């Protein structure tokens, strides 16, 4: 007699963060290579930088990318900069997986590009995006899940500073960050994750120094 086994829960896979400094960038921007799962993953990518570098991502395994939500424009920069999220479900992967973004508007301009894999997953169940005003602690909006999920949180600060900290709370762990910027400047960002084993409503608070506003995303993947 044989028994069916439960499918494994979603889990954090490969992840990497490319940060190109102002005047130091190249087009296309290409992430360092990582090894991803052959099938059964959901991939998340962000494009943060000049709003005229608005090309969608392309990856080395030919996945289909869709926008997740709408662009958030950085405050106090005259609509010159924004941040955009993309997701690929039913993801195909393998060795030396890279993601690239063409930069038609400002080829040498600053751009930040995190690439995160969630394994054993098939969909984005919920997400929220908001723009937080300047504060020591900024909070995402709430999301609700109906079972075990991998939660991803993204912080995109808007301060004109080159050295900072961004620390997630609420059980989230920091996995990637670009918060020590080059002298030429760059687009600061941080990525955190949390594994939850039960249905519930979740959010993330970020403690930031120095104080600044931020574009925030929280994403639940199942």
């Amino acid at each position: 007699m044989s028994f069916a086994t439960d499918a494994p829960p979603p889990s954090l896979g490969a992840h990497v963060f490319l940060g190109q400094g102002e005047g130091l960038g190249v087009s296309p921007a290409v992430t360092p290579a990582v090894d991803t799962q052959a099938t059964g993953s959901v991939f998340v990518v962000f494009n943060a930088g000049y709003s005229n570098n608005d090309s969608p991502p392309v990856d080395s395994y030919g996945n289909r990318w869709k926008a997740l939500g709408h662009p958030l424009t950085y405050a106090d920069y005259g609509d010159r900069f924004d941040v955009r999220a993309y997701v690929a479900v039913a993801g195909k992967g393998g060795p030396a997986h890279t993601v690239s973004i063409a930069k038609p508007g400002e080829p040498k301009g600053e751009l930040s590009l995190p690439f995160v894999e969630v394994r054993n997953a098939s969909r984005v169940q919920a997400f929220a995006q908001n723009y937080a005003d300047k504060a020591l602690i900024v909070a995402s909006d709430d999301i609700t899940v109906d079972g075990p999920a991998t939660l991803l949180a993204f912080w995109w600060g808007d301060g004109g500073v080159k050295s900072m900290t961004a620390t997630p709370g609420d059980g989230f762990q920091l996995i990637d960050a670009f918060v020590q910027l080059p002298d030429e400047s760059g687009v600061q960002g941080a990525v955190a994750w949390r594994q939850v084993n039960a249905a519930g409503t979740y959010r993330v608070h970020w403690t930031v120094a120095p104080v600044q506003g931020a574009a925030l995303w929280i994403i639940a993947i199942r």
Side-chain angles (χ1 to χ4, degrees), residues 15-199:
H15 53 91
V16 68
F17 194 119
L18 171 69
Q20 291 188 341
E22 177 63 27
L24 305 175
V26 296
S27 180
V30 183
T31 64
V34 294
D35 295 340
T36 56
Q37 191 168 259
T39 59
S41 291
V42 171
F43 300 120
V44 177
V45 161
F46 277 73
N47 175 358
Y50 284 93
S51 56
N52 58 1
N53 286 337
D54 57 354
S55 301
V58 175
D59 74 290
S60 55
Y61 283 87
N63 287 290
R64 182 182 178 186
W65 297 89
K66 293 185 177 182
L68 186 66
H70 58 273
L72 290 178
T73 300
Y74 285 91
D76 303 323
Y77 291 92
D79 297 332
R80 294 180 65 211
F81 297 91
D82 63 19
V83 56
R84 302 162 183 263
Y86 298 88
V87 62
V89 300
K92 301 181 295 291
H97 197 160
T98 61
V99 174
S100 63
I101 291 178
K103 300 165 67 179
E106 300 283 346
K108 295 184 178 180
E110 58 194 87
L111 182 145
S112 286
L113 195 178
F115 170 34
V116 183
E117 175 192 25
V118 177
R119 296 181 174 181
N120 309 318
S122 61
R123 69 190 191 278
V124 173
Q125 184 181 28
F127 78 96
Q129 57 183 121
N130 64 295
Y131 202 103
D133 293 334
K134 293 178 176 65
L136 175 64
I137 299 176
V138 294
S140 74
D141 286 344
D142 292 338
I143 56 172
T144 299
V145 298
D146 59 11
T150 298
L151 308 183
L152 301 177
F154 297 82
W155 171 90
W156 299 101
D158 66 9
V161 294
K162 296 177 183 176
S163 178
M164 69 214 80
T165 59
T167 305
D170 307 282
F172 282 79
Q173 300 178 40
L174 189 71
I175 56 171
D176 289 304
F178 185 53
V179 291
Q180 303 302 315
L181 307 184
D183 290 341
E184 295 81 6
S185 190
V187 183
Q188 58 261 44
V191 185
W193 83 293
R194 179 182 173 186
Q195 192 72 26
V196 297
N197 297 317

